[in-house]
Structures are given as C-alpha cells and as structure tokens.
Amino acid sequence: MPGSSARAPRRPRGPVAPRPARMPSPPRESGLRRLYTKARRAWDRPLTAYYLILGSSLLITALGLVMVYSASMIQALQLHLPASYFFRKQFVAAVLGTGLLLVAMRVPVKLHRALAYPMLAATVFLMVLVQVPGIGRSVNGNQNWIYLGGPFQLQPSEFGKLALVLWGADLLARKQDKRLLTQWKHMLVPLVPVAFMLLGLIMLGGDMGTAIILTAILFGLLWLAGAPTRLFAGVLSIAGVLGVILIKTSPNRMARLACMGKTDPGPADQCWQAVHGIYALASGGFFGSGLGASVEKWGQLPEPHTDFIFAITGEELGLAGTLSVLALFAALGYAGIRVAGRTEDPFVRYAAGGVTTWITAQAVVNIGAVLGLLPIAGVPLPLFSYGGSALLPTMFAIGLLIAFAREEPAAKAALAMRQPRVRWNTMRRRVKARSSGER
C-alpha cells in the first residue's frame, strides 16, 4: 500500500555460521631477498644465456679496441709508425672475427662436427710448417709464427685450441653414443695422445703459455666426460711432471717463476715487467688517471697492448674499469656453463664446456700474471688484447656458444615468437558472375 514502509525479510532462525578466519598475510620479503628473487627469475628465462654471451663478448671486444688504441699509441710512435697502426690492424681483425662469429652462429651443429677433423688436420700441418726454416718466424724467443707477407703473421697454435675443442667434443660425443666412455682406454685414446702431439708441437717453439691453455682444455673435456678421479689425477700428475721438467730446464721460465709477487725489479731488472704491471695497477686508484693518460705505456711497461693490457686498463680506468672487465668475463663464463649444463646433445655439452674452459682459463692466467699471482705466461687476454691470430678463433668460438644457446628448445620458441611477422594485405575484388556467351 502507498505510504507503508517495506519490511526487510527476516533471517531464518538457527545457529549462526562462524565467520571464516582471515588468513595471515605472508611476511614481506626484504629488499635483498626481492632483488635475489628477481635476479633468479631473470636468470631462468630462456634467452638469458644467449643475451649474456652476445652482450658480454661484444662489450669486451669493443672495450678492448679502445684500450688497444690507448695502450699502443706510444709504442707505434716509437717504431716510427702511425699512432693508430696497431688499432687499425686490430679493428680489421675484429671485423673479420665478427664475420666468423655470424657464420658460426648460423652453421648447423652437424656441419661443425663435420669440420672438426679437417680443421685439426690443417692446424697440425700449419704447426709443423712453423718449425720449417724460412717459413716459421720467432717472436720474443718463441718459434710459433708463420709470415704471411707485409705486416701480417699467423700463429697456428691459437687455432689449435679451437681444433682441439671441436675434434675432442665430436670424438667424445661419438663414444658416448656407443657407450664406450665407461672404459678408461676409450676415454683416453686417442684424445690424450692427439692433445700431447699438439702440446709437443707448441713446446718445440717454446710457447709455454699456449701449452698451459691447451692442457686446461684437455682436462676440461675429460672432466665433462666423467673421467674417474684416479684417471684424472694420473693424467694431471703426468702433465705436472712434464711442466716441472720444462720449467726447470729453462732459465727464462725459472726467472718468471721467481718474479711472482715481487715489488722490486731486482739487481738485473729481471722482474721489470711484473713489477711495473703492479705499479700501473696501483697508480690507477679507484677511477683511474683517465683514458689515454697512462704513464707506464711510455716505455716503462713492455707489451702494454698485448700481455699487459689489463695493467694499462687499471691505470687509466682504475678499479672500476678492471672490475667491469672481470664482471664481463664472469658473465660470459657463467653463461657458457649454463649452455653446457642444460643441453641434451653430448657434442654441444662438450664443445660449450671446452670453449668456456678455454676462455676462462686464459683470462685467469693473463690476469693472474698481471696481478703477480701467477708467473708471466705470455698469453693474451681473450677478446681484449691485441692480436688477430688470437681474436679470430676466439670470436668463432663465441659464435659457437651463441649458436648452442639458440638451439635450446625454450630459446628457440622464444626467438620464434619475437620474429616480426609480415602480413601482406591483398585487396580482393568480388566480381559478380555475369552470364556471357563467351567461354
């Protein structure tokens, strides 16, 4: 009825259901915990290893070009050459290396395996030519170069690292497919004899540093293949005994070993290079003296653009610059380990592990020598130091890692989704069928 107030419906009588208790809110994560969680999620993304390898390697190469130009200017002028002489040669090598990197990225894994044996044979042939009088050339007391004409030389032992990685990975992958790696003779033969043959050819030229890196690659492959501890220790003992004999029989190597940790050049200046490398790092401070403002490169520090370029980096860019370089190498090594650990293809696992061992071990040996923690071995800093013979095979190896990172199933799917899809919109006219006497 109008004017009457509507009554609210009565609730049914009976026991009232209790209200559900509120769930306790989860405890808030701390700032560091949230940062760790975000970093963990980012690391687990399919394309993380791909971007880490590509980005870190390109940044190391680009920064290396800058430091080669800065560290080599004075030495080029002292040799009555243009100031950009060494930089231009390194830039050409970087361009060629970028081409090799792109090729290695696109070449299928089967073709890489097929190229392993021809590459090993060609490398052994070139390393034998190094010892032929009139063809091989000695640089700084090491007979490991081939003269190509003009200012160009080739160091075949640098390509021996790449050949050992590819050939060893293919060999171990074939034996794993046949389930032969459980027998120690199949694990060692012919991998260890061929590696020792390459080491012998390198040591004929007196290049102890490259021999150390090649030995590290060999042990990396054996470790990835699951060599038992006794077998691993036996091969390591043999290599250690040979290394001690080679060091003891060479006064130059003994002198380098004696310079570890020295802060004084000595009476005959035998530790001059090691000590001035420490001086360069110490004078850089936290942020360096400025790009191009190094003092040690004015004739005080030998090989400032090759073996001791890390010292010039510390002097000009300071602790911030050296830590940045170390962080880039750590990212590259960690991404390589991820690629080797997540693949199901044995060849990819051995090849990725071999390349990661090669680059990481060489960086540790070079930086350790500059810091005075290791004897000076005469090996360049990968992708960073001057030297086309070292840069070309290293960039090809980086291309291998990038190709392997792209071949992961999750990475493949992510890359396929990010490719732009081009749609061609065509205008179709609908023509009404008309009766016609024509056919």
Side-chain angles (χ1 to χ4, degrees), residues 70-290:
S70 176
S72 65
M73 286 190 300
I74 305 304
Q75 187 164 2
L77 293 174
Q78 289 175 347
L79 296 174
H80 306 288
L81 296 170
S84 61
Y85 174 78
F86 293 106
F87 167 77
R88 285 182 293 176
K89 290 183 63 178
Q90 186 74 356
F91 182 77
V92 171
V95 172
L96 295 176
T98 303
L100 290 177
L101 183 146
L102 295 175
V103 169
M105 283 176 54
R106 299 297 179 180
V107 169
V109 174
K110 291 183 179 180
L111 187 54
H112 282 303
R113 298 186 68 169
L115 291 174
Y117 286 82
M119 183 178 296
L120 178 65
T123 303
V124 171
F125 176 73
L126 291 175
M127 292 173 71
V128 171
L129 284 182
V130 169
Q131 307 304 324
V132 177
I135 299 179
R137 172 170 289 192
S138 177
V139 177
N140 294 332
N142 293 336
Q143 181 82 14
N144 54 3
W145 296 84
I146 293 179
Y147 180 63
L148 299 179
F152 299 102
Q153 299 178 112
L154 180 67
Q155 189 176 2
S157 58
E158 292 291 339
F159 292 87
K161 304 171 187 175
L162 179 61
L164 180 61
V165 167
L166 288 178
W167 176 80
D170 180 71
L171 176 70
L172 293 174
R174 292 178 187 273
K175 292 196 174 189
Q176 180 173 333
D177 292 339
K178 297 178 182 179
R179 299 182 179 179
L180 297 175
L181 291 181
T182 55
Q183 306 176 29
W184 67 269
K185 59 180 181 181
H186 285 288
M187 185 175 290
L188 294 182
V189 180
L191 177 62
V192 174
V194 171
F196 276 22
M197 177 188 66
L198 294 175
L199 289 172
L201 291 173
I202 292 173
M203 290 309 301
L204 282 177
D207 191 356
M208 187 73 178
T210 304
I212 293 174
I213 306 304
L214 212 68
T215 306
I217 295 173
L218 172 62
F219 285 120
L221 292 174
L222 289 175
W223 182 77
L224 290 169
T229 306
R230 291 179 299 175
L231 186 63
F232 201 84
V235 179
L236 183 61
S237 300
I238 295 173
V241 170
L242 291 176
V244 170
I245 294 173
L246 291 172
I247 293 174
K248 287 286 186 180
T249 55
S250 173
N252 183 31
R253 296 185 189 120
M254 286 296 297
R256 291 186 177 188
L257 189 65
C259 291
M260 288 177 54
K262 294 291 185 180
T263 57
D264 185 81
D269 290 337
Q270 62 178 4
C271 298
W272 180 272
Q273 187 178 23
V275 170
H276 277 270
I278 298 296
Y279 289 170
L281 290 171
S283 61
F286 284 100
F287 299 105
S289 58

Side-chain angles (χ1 to χ4, degrees), residues 397-420:
I398 294 296
L400 280 177
L401 285 180
I402 295 173
F404 297 156
R406 290 165 57 98
E407 286 298 318
E408 292 184 13
K412 255 185 183 180
L415 287 173
M417 292 177 62
R418 294 190 177 188
Q419 289 179 354

